Amino acid sequence: MSDKNRLVKSKLLRELYFEEGLTCADLALKVQKSFPLTAKLIEELVSENQVVETGLAPSTGGRRPLTYALQKGEMYLVSVAMDQFVTKIAIMDMQNNFVGPVQKVVLPLPNNPKALSILIEKIKEAIDNSGIEVKKLVGVGIGMPGFVDVKKGVNYSHLHLGNKSITRHISEKIGLQVFIDNDSSLIALAERRFGAARNETNAMVINIGWGVGLGLILNGELFRGHEGFAGEFSHIPLFLNGKLCSCGKMGCLETETSLLLILEKAKAGLEAGRLSMLTSINFDDLEVACDLLIQAVHSGDQFAVELFSKAGYNIGKGLAVLIHLLNPKSIILSGRGSCAGQIWLAPIQQALNEHCIPRLYQSTHMDISTLGLDAELIGAAALVMENFEKSQPALTAQSMGFNVAVN
Amino acid sequence: MSDKNRLVKSKLLRELYFEEGLTCADLALKVQKSFPLTAKLIEELVSENQVVETGLAPSTGGRRPLTYALQKGEMYLVSVAMDQFVTKIAIMDMQNNFVGPVQKVVLPLPNNPKALSILIEKIKEAIDNSGIEVKKLVGVGIGMPGFVDVKKGVNYSHLHLGNKSITRHISEKIGLQVFIDNDSSLIALAERRFGAARNETNAMVINIGWGVGLGLILNGELFRGHEGFAGEFSHIPLFLNGKLCSCGKMGCLETETSLLLILEKAKAGLEAGRLSMLTSINFDDLEVACDLLIQAVHSGDQFAVELFSKAGYNIGKGLAVLIHLLNPKSIILSGRGSCAGQIWLAPIQQALNEHCIPRLYQSTHMDISTLGLDAELIGAAALVMENFEKSQPALTAQSMGFNVAVN
DNA sequence: TCAGACTTTTTTAATTTTTTAATAAGTTTC
DNA sequence: GAAACTTATTAAAAAATTAAAAAAGTCTGA
């Protein structure tokens, strides 16, 4: 049955995307097939020019096994990372390299009925400019803030389209498979697959950005919850500070920690005459201002360090809740704010010391992202590949057979 | 390969334990095997007298399928539910009925080096008294409070035995497979399999007891976290009340809500002269006092209602955190406190209204346990059956073959 | 009320896949 | 340098899945 083998082949390609240099035995384990079958299918993929041999792995005491990787120049991904104001579009290859420059578009999301059509236009443009044949593009992955229902392909916060799925809509316009997810979830996916949470089964990935997002890796997989809204870390009611949050409630975590809050405090402090190397900073462009502030931290500017420390302590208070509830093995600080680096660790640890049962936090390891600002784009690409086998043509539910349909 | 079929047969028996009256098609789906194979194995189980036909299921428009159930009198379970002071031991059949009376033993856990040997003695006694042949006993399931590492079989809070696994220790003494888990996890397991969370894929089960426990059902399975400590709901830092908690920290959820706290407040209130139908209550026996208090709630006693309402509101504040983080489909109130019934719902809903983003709590359904005080015993039994296929003899890792070993 | 069309389950037969086994080739260790 | 070990390849045997046919029961419409 050729269709069924096609499915296994897709799985093989997917595994090789997530990890290069696997041996036939590794692949057989990962796709849960026998060695002879796996070997046969890999051989076919090699002769189809989808996969190449990459030499021999080190011996473990016997004959050295052949390793495999994806053929270069055969498959590409379209990756889109949106925030409230700016959207980044990239074409990526199977080795997580950007093909051509990453395109930045100023595209405000809130109450912007034109946003969707502009987005589609810009994606088309990016594809055209790349000069890559459409048939070599596997699909489009999009990360965006808001309440995203992955299955329905809907974002309840932005890009409304009545009840229609925006993934289907974009897909129809562009002619490629389209997948969306929440920005923090995609950052977590990127860290899980290629970053600081690689191969972790139990990790909390914190997205320190204009708010504070959370992507949950539970049992090795991205956890999304009943409707896909899991990870609303920003709005857990943790403080009795009477500060009004953007969500309408009071005392949310976000009212005591976020890059936006740090910037506000920096502005207020400087206006009140705080001494700092930042005096001439311009707060109109948030991204630039944030980068400068992080630079100041690295240079040891006392005011900047103080601001980040306070924010860190409050993130730590939130993490104490997470640790109690989910007993994670590791916590990864990612997103834009993670560029500030080690500065976060001490104040967070301080908060854990104060607010956590020792047995719980002692076995939890904290780490800082290695992916930094690219995390969301990489995650959007990974999202497409996570769904790769489903997106392959010629695979109807029936042709996939009894067992597969169960999933 | 007979060993491999033995594994599938174990899975079939397990599925029939969790749900009676399944058809062959149902079972084939659940064990992920083809219909012909499943049919063959069921036939074998019937002729081995392990399974019986239970008639025909209602038609869905065609031939009515045969249904199956476990043969009665062939398999039994030993189920143990411990709390800080009292331990309950029961023998259960495959239909969740108690065989003989549930044995209650006063067995204080904290700093009690004799607790383990007494426990073993009492379990032996219960088995002997039941008059059931040992070979018909599938295993022993034990629920207890504290930090339980399910995999290692260790409880870091009670019943210390150096570094040795207490499950293995008990197993050696009794000659049966033994499994342990945290009490709240087992209550969640019971609700997931037989109670208000039946077949839910995403549920939070709250154990309202002397503390406030939590069992997480995520993706249809009990979630335990990295070391098995997930669900420490009682000690999330949620209040700025300056009250010292038993864990050494301040402001834990437990300092503002729990049956113990309600009892304390009731005592203090009555001593201060609050009018109530409870005036003659004796607070020395916690269980009795708690039952009386719950009775008072059902009778509409204003003071009792007030106490439970306040506690409910604070549970609701904790639930708001859970809903933000995990976006559950349903929340089940279980454990001893759930006997108070509907009284909890209004104050909890009130707290959600105040502390939750509407989109999140609107799709979350709240429910009250139907299992009540038996939940932990049923959960302990279910724990044994969850592990049934692993606990079958004649199944070495090698005989299970390549694919199975992957898991 | 009773054919006959239609569903669904069960059984049987054919196909495919996985296992198993045997052999060859390359590494490491003693 | 031989023995032990691991991977790769091939072929034959065993087992499971899939597909097709038969059986059993429901439902519809005269």
Side-chain angles (χ1 to χ4, degrees):
Chain A
M1 182 127 299
S2 176
D3 267 0
K4 213 171 153 188
N5 283 350
R6 196 67 246 170
L7 179 72
V8 179
K9 280 189 193 174
S10 295
K11 285 186 182 173
L12 289 171
L13 293 173
R14 191 186 56 172
E15 294 302 333
L16 287 171
Y17 165 75
F18 287 122
E19 190 173 353
E20 284 198 333
L22 293 171
T23 69
C24 185
D26 294 336
L27 287 164
L29 270 171
K30 283 185 189 281
V31 302
Q32 301 259 64
K33 293 286 158 186
S34 66
F35 192 101
L37 180 64
T38 310
K40 189 187 96 184
L41 295 178
I42 291 175
E43 202 41 58
E44 283 179 33
L45 285 169
V46 169
S47 65
E48 288 166 16
N49 197 35
Q50 301 259 52
V51 167
V52 286
E53 292 180 5
T54 51
L56 300 167
S59 166
T60 53
R63 177 171 173 176
R64 294 171 62 191
L66 278 167
T67 60
Y68 298 90
L70 295 181
Q71 176 64 282
K72 290 181 183 171
E74 286 296 309
M75 299 203 294
Y76 296 92
L77 299 160
V78 183
S79 173
V80 182
M82 311 177 82
D83 74 16
Q84 301 270 354
F85 304 107
V86 178
T87 290
K88 291 190 284 182
I89 303 177
I91 310 287
M92 303 188 79
D93 66 15
M94 291 286 134
Q95 286 74 38
N96 272 338
N97 303 308
F98 295 117
V99 177
V102 176
Q103 208 182 320
K104 264 195 190 179
V105 185
V106 176
L107 181 61
L109 287 183
N111 305 314
N112 181 357
K114 286 185 188 164
L116 185 57
S117 56
I118 296 174
L119 173 67
I120 293 171
E121 218 40 62
K122 292 293 176 182
I123 293 176
K124 275 186 182 167
E125 215 175 288
I127 293 173
D128 289 345
N129 290 344
S130 75
I132 292 170
E133 302 163 63
V134 174
K135 67 167 187 179
K136 288 194 174 179
L137 290 169
V138 178
V140 182
I142 305 175
M144 46 178 114
F147 289 116
V148 177
D149 188 319
V150 175
K151 274 179 253 162
K152 291 186 187 158
V154 172
N155 187 335
Y156 293 104
S157 309
H158 309 291
L159 304 181
H160 296 287
L161 201 68
N163 259 334
K164 205 189 163 193
S165 140
I166 53 177
T167 50
R168 199 173 317 150
H169 178 77
I170 301 174
S171 182
E172 283 163 7
K173 298 279 179 185
I174 296 185
L176 292 169
Q177 286 276 353
V178 178
F179 302 93
I180 60 172
D181 207 333
N182 175 275
D183 50 357
S184 296
S185 290
L186 288 189
I187 286 173
L189 188 60
E191 297 290 352
R192 160 73 176 78
R193 289 301 199 168
F194 301 109
R198 183 151 201 171
N199 293 326
E200 288 286 346
T201 51
N202 240 291
M204 308 283 109
V205 181
I206 309 297
N207 173 18
I208 306 176
W210 305 134
V212 187
L214 167 66
L216 304 120
I217 305 293
L218 305 179
N219 293 328
E221 285 189 6
L222 192 54
F223 179 81
R224 295 185 170 97
H226 168 43
E227 293 168 298
F229 307 154
E232 268 305 329
F233 195 46
S234 243
H235 300 289
I236 59 174
L238 209 58
F239 297 94
L240 278 172
N241 56 13
K243 289 189 199 164
L244 189 66
C245 178
S246 62
C247 73
K249 300 185 291 122
M250 286 189 292
C252 298
L253 181 64
E254 193 174 289
T255 64
E256 293 287 346
T257 188
S258 83
L259 292 182
L260 219 50
L261 186 80
I262 290 178
L263 284 176
E264 278 168 22
K265 280 190 176 177
K267 194 178 174 191
L270 293 175
E271 281 169 1
R274 269 295 301 247
L275 291 177
S276 164
M277 59 175 65
L278 293 165
T279 38
S280 63
I281 201 170
N282 171 11
F283 287 95
D284 290 337
D285 186 329
L286 291 178
E287 288 198 28
V288 174
C290 188
D291 288 349
L292 287 173
L293 208 54
I294 288 175
Q295 260 180 45
V297 168
H298 286 304
S299 314
D301 182 80
Q302 201 178 336
F303 181 42
V305 168
E306 190 184 307
L307 290 172
F308 275 76
S309 298
K310 280 205 180 136
Y313 180 86
N314 287 327
I315 288 178
K317 255 187 108 168
L319 288 180
V321 173
L322 283 184
I323 290 175
H324 278 98
L325 291 177
L326 296 166
N327 183 213
K329 183 163 173 231
S330 62
I331 292 172
I332 314 295
L333 304 178
S334 189
R336 179 179 296 275
S338 69
C339 301
Q342 307 291 321
I343 191 79
W344 293 108
L345 297 183
I348 289 179
Q349 192 60 55
Q350 180 64 28
L352 295 187
N353 292 345
E354 288 176 21
H355 299 291
C356 239
I357 296 176
R359 174 165 298 279
L360 285 168
Y361 72 76
Q362 273 162 7
S363 60
T364 303
H365 182 251
M366 209 146 53
D367 228 331
I368 296 195
S369 167
T370 51
L371 267 32
L373 291 172
D374 292 336
E376 192 178 344
L377 281 172
I378 293 172
L383 179 68
V384 177
M385 290 309 287
E386 287 250 312
N387 293 283
F388 180 55
E389 71 214 52
K390 291 172 211 157
S391 66
Q392 287 301 89
L395 279 176
T396 64
Q398 279 173 332
S399 75
M400 286 161 76
F402 173 79
N403 277 328
V404 178
V406 176
N407 304 324
Chain B
M1 181 127 299
S2 177
D3 266 359
K4 215 171 154 189
N5 282 351
R6 194 68 246 167
L7 178 72
V8 180
K9 279 189 193 176
S10 295
K11 285 186 183 174
L12 290 171
L13 292 173
R14 190 186 57 172
E15 295 302 333
L16 287 171
Y17 165 76
F18 286 123
E19 190 172 354
E20 284 199 331
L22 292 169
T23 69
C24 185
D26 294 335
L27 286 164
L29 271 172
K30 286 187 189 279
V31 302
Q32 302 258 64
K33 293 286 157 186
S34 67
F35 192 101
L37 179 64
T38 310
K40 189 186 96 184
L41 296 177
I42 291 174
E43 202 41 57
E44 284 179 30
L45 285 170
V46 169
S47 63
E48 289 165 16
N49 197 34
Q50 301 257 54
V51 167
V52 287
E53 292 179 5
T54 51
L56 300 165
S59 166
T60 53
R63 177 170 174 174
R64 294 171 63 191
L66 278 167
T67 60
Y68 299 90
L70 295 181
Q71 177 64 282
K72 289 180 184 171
E74 288 294 310
M75 300 202 295
Y76 296 91
L77 300 160
V78 183
S79 173
V80 182
M82 311 177 82
D83 73 17
Q84 303 270 355
F85 304 106
V86 178
T87 289
K88 292 190 284 183
I89 304 177
I91 311 285
M92 303 187 79
D93 66 14
M94 292 287 133
Q95 287 73 39
N96 273 337
N97 302 308
F98 296 117
V99 178
V102 176
Q103 209 181 319
K104 265 196 189 179
V105 186
V106 176
L107 181 61
L109 288 182
N111 306 314
N112 182 356
K114 286 185 189 166
L116 187 56
S117 56
I118 296 175
L119 174 66
I120 292 172
E121 219 38 63
K122 292 293 177 183
I123 293 176
K124 275 185 182 166
E125 217 174 288
I127 294 173
D128 289 347
N129 290 345
S130 75
I132 292 171
E133 304 163 62
V134 175
K135 67 166 187 179
K136 288 194 173 178
L137 290 169
V138 178
V140 182
I142 305 176
M144 45 180 117
F147 289 117
V148 177
D149 188 320
V150 175
K151 275 179 249 159
K152 291 186 187 157
V154 172
N155 186 335
Y156 293 105
S157 310
H158 308 291
L159 304 181
H160 297 289
L161 202 68
N163 258 337
K164 204 190 162 194
S165 139
I166 53 176
T167 51
R168 200 174 313 149
H169 178 77
I170 302 174
S171 183
E172 282 162 7
K173 299 278 180 185
I174 296 185
L176 291 170
Q177 287 276 350
V178 178
F179 302 94
I180 61 172
D181 207 334
N182 175 275
D183 50 356
S184 295
S185 290
L186 289 190
I187 287 174
L189 188 59
E191 297 290 352
R192 160 72 176 80
R193 289 301 198 168
F194 301 108
R198 183 152 202 171
N199 294 327
E200 288 286 347
T201 51
N202 240 291
M204 308 281 109
V205 181
I206 309 297
N207 173 17
I208 307 176
W210 306 133
V212 186
L214 167 65
L216 304 120
I217 306 293
L218 304 179
N219 292 329
E221 284 188 6
L222 192 54
F223 179 81
R224 295 184 171 98
H226 169 42
E227 293 168 299
F229 307 155
E232 268 305 327
F233 195 45
S234 243
H235 299 288
I236 59 175
L238 209 58
F239 296 94
L240 278 172
N241 55 14
K243 288 189 200 166
L244 189 67
C245 179
S246 61
C247 72
K249 301 183 292 119
M250 287 190 290
C252 298
L253 182 63
E254 194 175 287
T255 64
E256 292 286 348
T257 188
S258 83
L259 292 181
L260 219 50
L261 185 82
I262 290 178
L263 284 176
E264 278 167 22
K265 279 190 177 177
K267 195 178 175 189
L270 292 175
E271 280 169 2
R274 268 296 300 247
L275 291 176
S276 163
M277 58 174 66
L278 292 165
T279 39
S280 64
I281 201 168
N282 171 11
F283 287 96
D284 290 338
D285 186 329
L286 291 177
E287 289 198 25
V288 174
C290 188
D291 289 349
L292 286 174
L293 208 53
I294 288 174
Q295 260 179 44
V297 168
H298 286 304
S299 313
D301 181 80
Q302 201 178 338
F303 182 43
V305 168
E306 192 184 306
L307 290 171
F308 276 76
S309 297
K310 279 203 181 139
Y313 180 86
N314 288 326
I315 289 178
K317 255 187 110 168
L319 288 180
V321 173
L322 284 183
I323 291 176
H324 279 98
L325 292 176
L326 296 166
N327 184 213
K329 181 160 172 236
S330 63
I331 292 173
I332 314 294
L333 304 179
S334 189
R336 179 179 297 274
S338 69
C339 302
Q342 308 290 320
I343 191 81
W344 294 108
L345 298 183
I348 289 179
Q349 192 60 55
Q350 180 64 27
L352 296 187
N353 292 344
E354 289 176 20
H355 300 290
C356 238
I357 296 176
R359 173 165 298 281
L360 284 169
Y361 72 76
Q362 272 162 7
S363 60
T364 304
H365 182 252
M366 210 146 52
D367 229 329
I368 295 193
S369 166
T370 51
L371 267 31
L373 291 172
D374 292 335
E376 193 178 345
L377 282 172
I378 293 173
L383 179 67
V384 177
M385 291 308 289
E386 287 250 313
N387 293 283
F388 180 56
E389 70 213 52
K390 290 171 211 157
S391 66
Q392 286 300 90
L395 279 175
T396 65
Q398 280 173 332
S399 75
M400 285 160 76
F402 174 80
N403 276 330
V404 179
V406 176
N407 304 324

